[in-house]
């Protein structure tokens, strides 16, 4: 396998930092508990070092790589594995439901990836909200982002991504990885984060996407109160926002980042009831 990838001029902009250390690759697959019955989606296989380890353990692997300059080397590096399908697409533009049916046999699946850091948030958000039978997500990401994701909603330092993660999954940091383990090394240290998906999201809300909207609302303007954010996001009057906060049992002056998931879910449902009352 080529040690120095010929990824072309696009390499840096695609967040290409390759992993060759077999012990780190094995520990990722161990952490994801990949076994012979598993269907695995890998995002950004690069030159296929992690893909090989996954292919040796799983039933099938779908590997989605954006960079067409890598595809020939990737296919040649994986030629010995007939349980791998390489897909040359931007994962954020792919129809995940089609990919899941056609390349993963439409069965419950796991995601394992050394993610491109410039799109970590977008990819994790997309996976959490995909509505497919996703079992777990095991990803190499920036260490600082992994640490932030671990902060539960309502606690100091939490963010929109951590709220969404805790709503759908149980997060755990598996192990840190120093920048020097990659070629070329990134500017930051990394960590492998494991998200064990919950059978159901932690709280029931009227519509799946209404929680995503409420979380965006809560963290939209961090210095503003939740009342202001509700008015701006849902076009409510101040009075209406106050009624909704009271109905959900949230103090009038609370800020979005101080709210627990339970409070955010109660707000979702109160907003939906308010809309129904108005006949919307
Ligand atoms: N898995 C390889 C490894 O561990 O050596 C490469 C990991 S590298 C950090 C991230 C990979 O994601 C690169 O191969 C990059 O081209 C690919 N990538 C970046 N953006 C992508 C996107 N939107 N969709 C699919 N792949 C993407």
């Amino acid at each position: 396998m080529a040690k120095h990838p010929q990824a072309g001029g696009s390499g840096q902009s695609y967040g290409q930092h390759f992993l060759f250390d077999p012990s780190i690759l094995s520990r990722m697959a161990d952490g994801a508990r990949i076994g012979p019955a598993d269907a695995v989606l890998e995002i950004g296989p690069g030159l296929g070092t992690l893909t090989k380890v996954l292919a040796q353990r799983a039933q099938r692997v779908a590997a989605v790589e954006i960079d067409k300059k890598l595809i020939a080397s990737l296919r040649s590096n994986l030629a010995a594995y007939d349980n791998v399908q390489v897909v040359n697409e931007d994962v954020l533009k792919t129809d995940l439901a089609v990919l899941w049916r056609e390349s993963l046999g439409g069965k419950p699946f796991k995601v394992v990836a050394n993610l491109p850091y410039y799109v970590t948030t977008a990819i994790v958000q997309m996976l959490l909200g995909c509505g497919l039978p996703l079992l777990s997500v095991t990803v190499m990401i920036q260490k600082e982002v992994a640490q932030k994701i671990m902060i539960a909603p309502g606690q100091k330092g939490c963010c929109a991504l951590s709220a969404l993660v805790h709503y759908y999954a149980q997060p755990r940091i598996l192990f840190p990885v120093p920048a020097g383990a990659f070629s070329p090394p990134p500017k930051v240290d990394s960590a492998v984060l494991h998200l064990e998906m919950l059978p159901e999201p932690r709280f029931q809300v009227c519509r799946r996407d209404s929680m995503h909207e409420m979380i965006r609302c809560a963290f939209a303007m961090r210095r503003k109160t939740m009342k202001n954010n509700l008015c701006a996001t849902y076009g409510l009057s101040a009075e209406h926002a106050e009624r909704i906060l009271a109905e959900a049992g949230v103090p009038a002056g609370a800020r979005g980042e101080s709210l627990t998931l339970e409070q955010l879910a109660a707000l979702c449902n109160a907003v939906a009831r308010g809309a129904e009352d108005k006949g919307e």
Side-chain angles (χ1 to χ4, degrees), residues 256-267:
E257 65 184 354
S258 72
L259 302 184
T260 62
L261 277 179
E262 191 170 12
Q263 287 174 313
L264 290 166
L267 282 171

Side-chain angles (χ1 to χ4, degrees), residues 73-89:
S73 311
L74 178 60
R75 290 214 162 102
S76 132
N77 291 340
L78 297 171
Y81 301 92
D82 61 6
N83 59 342
V84 178
Q85 191 165 348
V86 171
V87 180
N88 182 201
E89 277 179 28

